[in-house]
Amino acid sequence: MEIGLRGYGVWQVGALTTPAMAAEIEQLGYSALWLGGPGVDLAGIDELLAATESLVVGSSIVNVWSGDPAVLAESYQRVASRFPGRFVLGIGAGHREQSAGYERPMDAVRRFLDVLDAGGVPVSGRVLAALGPRMLELAAERAGGVVPYLVPPRHTRAARTALGAGGFLAPEQKVVVGSDLVRARRVARGRVENPYLGLGNYTRNLRRLGYSDEDLAGSGSDRLIDDLVALGDVSAVAARLGEHRAAGADHVVVQVVTEKYQLHPGLPGVRLQVYDDEVVGVYRGLAGELF
């Protein structure tokens, strides 16, 4: 069975997301809420689903180095049995720079999937954080689709080709809404440079997409920032989101970026978006263009 999720969703750090936020995101018209960094116990996801009526919640992603996949399989069954059709399990190999014990990510993901298979997690209920061709190929074989992160629309086009017509494809897209493009790029750079330009999985993928060492140096070239973060007024940002759909995405995951953030408690210098009235206003304005 294919993942039937369509339209647009919202990406939030799981630890900073509350049931009230989930209810507000659903009320604005978004079909899904994708959570960054949940643990294998999927703690808090039941509460988000209970606070909403039809919103789908997805993990984007559970890191395969973060815990026991058998526990994750049990947690998946708990959530899926209580809220059938409303949870999508996203998993990924994380990053060498942030994950203890990191080695041979393809092998690690395969082993992780083997345990999920044994625990009864259906292929159609899980997606991979696939960027490169090998992980996309694995997703086509052993997952219901992919949730690529930090990618421009041309990656979406390549991912659709790799998955074929049936695989679920839901890229994440960061957005900064504002008419001052100089300011917008500055805000975007603050979220892209640290940590993403320091993580090899992302920089290798960006090089595959044609970005040069000069594009990736320092805080990133204007070309890189403009491609990775949708900048401009609401109409311009909505048009970029539509480019992903035109390139083959079934669902696009929107992450609003503003100047207000808090630092990650475990990763020095990494910024976490503050969810406040400004962020809600951006999501509301985009909803007016998208729905």
Side-chain angles (χ1 to χ4, degrees):
M1 182 176 65
E2 295 181 4
I3 298 171
L5 186 61
R6 297 296 183 264
Y8 297 89
V10 165
W11 192 96
Q12 279 276 121
V13 174
L16 302 182
T17 303
T18 67
M21 292 177 192
E24 187 166 38
I25 287 164
E26 179 179 54
Q27 188 275 329
L28 290 173
Y30 294 91
S31 58
L33 171 60
W34 295 87
L35 303 175
V40 293
D41 59 358
L42 302 179
I45 288 178
D46 303 75
E47 290 78 7
L48 299 178
L49 289 165
T52 54
E53 296 181 3
S54 62
L55 188 75
V56 172
V57 172
S59 57
S60 179
I61 47 80
V62 175
N63 189 327
V64 301
W65 307 104
S66 68
D68 186 344
V71 173
L72 179 60
E74 293 174 358
S75 302
Y76 174 89
Q77 299 295 356
R78 181 196 79 232
V79 176
S81 63
R82 186 179 177 194
F83 302 97
R86 293 184 58 201
F87 177 64
V88 178
L89 176 61
I91 67 170
H95 305 281
R96 183 180 303 277
E97 298 85 353
Q98 295 179 339
S99 302
Y102 187 98
E103 59 178 338
R104 300 182 67 85
M106 291 294 298
D107 291 346
V109 173
R110 287 192 181 96
R111 291 193 300 268
F112 205 90
L113 291 172
D114 289 342
V115 178
L116 295 184
D117 287 342
V121 177
V123 169
S124 62
R126 65 200 192 201
V127 293
L128 299 186
L131 295 176
R134 293 180 64 205
M135 197 65 78
L136 286 166
E137 181 180 0
L138 181 63
E141 295 173 357
R142 301 195 58 186
V146 298
V147 283
Y149 189 93
L150 199 73
V151 293
R154 62 177 171 276
H155 182 277
T156 298
R157 188 172 296 106
R160 172 51 66 203
T161 299
L163 289 175
F168 175 71
L169 176 54
E172 176 265 354
Q173 175 66 70
K174 292 176 179 56
V175 309
V176 177
V177 172
S179 57
D180 184 344
L181 290 182
V182 173
R183 173 188 172 277
R185 284 195 190 100
R186 175 173 52 78
V187 173
R189 275 197 171 88
R191 204 60 54 83
V192 170
E193 179 183 8
N194 190 354
Y196 305 116
L197 295 186
L199 299 176
N201 287 347
Y202 288 127
T203 56
R204 282 189 294 274
N205 185 58
L206 292 169
R207 286 189 173 92
R208 277 193 296 266
L209 292 171
Y211 297 100
S212 66
D213 289 344
E214 289 75 19
D215 286 316
L216 298 171
S219 59
S221 68
D222 284 354
R223 177 173 85 110
L224 180 73
I225 298 302
D226 290 358
D227 286 355
L228 293 182
V229 185
L231 309 174
D233 61 19
V234 171
S235 296
V237 167
R240 168 67 66 81
L241 299 175
E243 289 179 27
H244 283 286
R245 298 293 297 274
D250 300 293
H251 176 80
V252 182
V253 184
V254 185
Q255 182 179 171
V256 168
V257 175
T258 74
E259 290 184 288
K260 298 178 184 176
Y261 64 89
Q262 64 185 68
L263 293 177
H264 194 294
L267 298 172
V270 176
R271 300 176 179 185
L272 302 177
Q273 178 65 54
V274 172
Y275 184 94
D276 60 7
D277 289 344
E278 180 183 1
V279 169
V280 173
V282 174
Y283 282 127
R284 181 178 293 110
L286 283 172
E289 292 281 334
L290 298 171
F291 312 138

